Amino acid sequence: EDQVTQSPEALRLQEGESSSLNCSYTVSGLRGLFWYRQDPGKGPEFLFTLYSAGEEKEKERLKATLTKKESFLHITAPKPEDSATYLCAVRDPHSGTYKYIFGTGTRLKVLA
Amino acid sequence: EPEVTQTPSHQVTQMGQEVILRCVPISNHLYFYWYRQILGQKVEFLVSFYNNEISEKSEIFDDQFSVERPDGSNFTLKIRSTKLEDSAMYFCASSAGRAVNSPLHFGNGTRLTVT
């Protein structure tokens, strides 16, 4: 069964304390892995697309990496405004459209 | 930056009533989607829409649900007879294409509460 698992479920960091979030996936033929940020009561906000193992993308304090089985979202020197839920999704390999399979997310809290 | 807009932000309805959730996708996008998120659970796919017809739907999207693009800008989700278990955040999304480099862009959702 195609699925996406994220860990940890929740993470509390002090401002400036770097860490990584994990997204493990089992799909029969990856057709894109996506990271989104979701603030409370809001929709997912697109961050990155990763296509193939070894690829890396960066945006400000965030860096996403991809292997054949998992992706990491590295947060360097986080600030309180980085507090959010970070969602990982893969494109359903059996779908002809953009049917995403989402993970349950990691709730990040950065303390000042 | 262009964005997907959804109205209303919050809808309260009684069980058995019909609701229509509205979305304005990004103007040059061609593919439209509805997803939902029950409180504390994963975001899950409902339906995709392209060229004025449904491309794909999930098992959740039964006969009580329908989608429509009534004009060149709006995209709607109708729930004919709401149930308590329909209470969720409903997200509209759009993409420019189906290629991997055309990610989904989501609106801020409509929180549907069925009482």
Side-chain angles (χ1 to χ4, degrees), chain B residues 5-7 9 11 15 19 24 27 46 82 87 89 96 100 108:
Chain B
T5 56
Q6 291 186 243
T7 55
S9 57
Q11 173 96 44
M15 194 167 52
V19 294
V24 178
S27 63
L46 292 179
T82 50
S87 295
M89 275 294 270
V100 184
N108 279 330

Side-chain angles (χ1 to χ4, degrees), chain A residues 60-107:
Chain A
E60 296 181 1
R61 295 175 293 282
L62 301 177
K63 179 180 175 181
T65 61
L66 181 66
T67 72
K68 288 187 177 180
K69 294 183 179 180
E70 58 193 349
S71 177
F72 292 93
L73 185 65
H74 307 279
I75 304 177
T76 303
K79 298 182 178 181
E81 54 261 42
D82 295 321
S83 298
T85 295
Y86 290 86
L87 301 174
C88 172
V90 299
R91 189 169 168 181
D92 186 331
H94 308 293
S95 168
T97 62
Y98 253 116
K99 180 181 177 184
Y100 280 7
I101 302 170
F102 276 91
T104 50
T106 293
R107 293 189 313 278

Side-chain angles (χ1 to χ4, degrees), chain A residues 3-5 31-34 36 38 41-46 48-51 87 91-92 94-104, chain B residues 31 33 35 37 40-45 48 55-59 89 91 95 97-109 111:
Chain A
Q3 61 181 356
V4 177
T5 304
R31 294 166 61 195
L33 184 142
F34 308 89
Y36 284 82
Q38 186 176 27
K42 303 288 187 181
E45 176 189 348
F46 172 71
F48 303 111
T49 304
L50 299 167
Y51 305 96
L87 301 174
R91 189 169 168 181
D92 186 331
H94 308 293
S95 168
T97 62
Y98 253 116
K99 180 181 177 184
Y100 280 7
I101 302 170
F102 276 91
T104 50
Chain B
Y31 294 82
Y33 307 82
Y35 281 73
Q37 186 176 31
Q41 298 186 23
K42 297 181 182 184
V43 177
E44 52 188 353
F45 170 82
S48 60
S55 304
E56 187 173 357
K57 59 184 180 180
S58 72
E59 59 275 8
M89 275 294 270
F91 294 109
S95 66
R98 293 191 300 169
V100 184
N101 62 350
S102 296
L104 290 185
H105 294 270
F106 288 84
N108 279 330
R111 179 172 299 284

Side-chain angles (χ1 to χ4, degrees), chain B residues 54-115:
Chain B
I54 290 174
S55 304
E56 187 173 357
K57 59 184 180 180
S58 72
E59 59 275 8
I60 302 167
F61 195 89
D62 61 21
D63 292 343
Q64 295 300 311
F65 290 87
S66 62
V67 289
E68 190 179 33
R69 187 155 164 82
D71 53 42
S73 59
N74 291 283
F75 180 51
T76 62
L77 174 69
K78 181 192 293 186
I79 308 175
R80 196 184 349 264
S81 177
T82 50
K83 307 183 184 84
L84 293 176
E85 54 265 37
D86 294 328
S87 295
M89 275 294 270
Y90 287 81
F91 294 109
C92 175
S94 67
S95 66
R98 293 191 300 169
V100 184
N101 62 350
S102 296
L104 290 185
H105 294 270
F106 288 84
N108 279 330
T110 293
R111 179 172 299 284
L112 178 64
T113 302
V114 182
T115 61

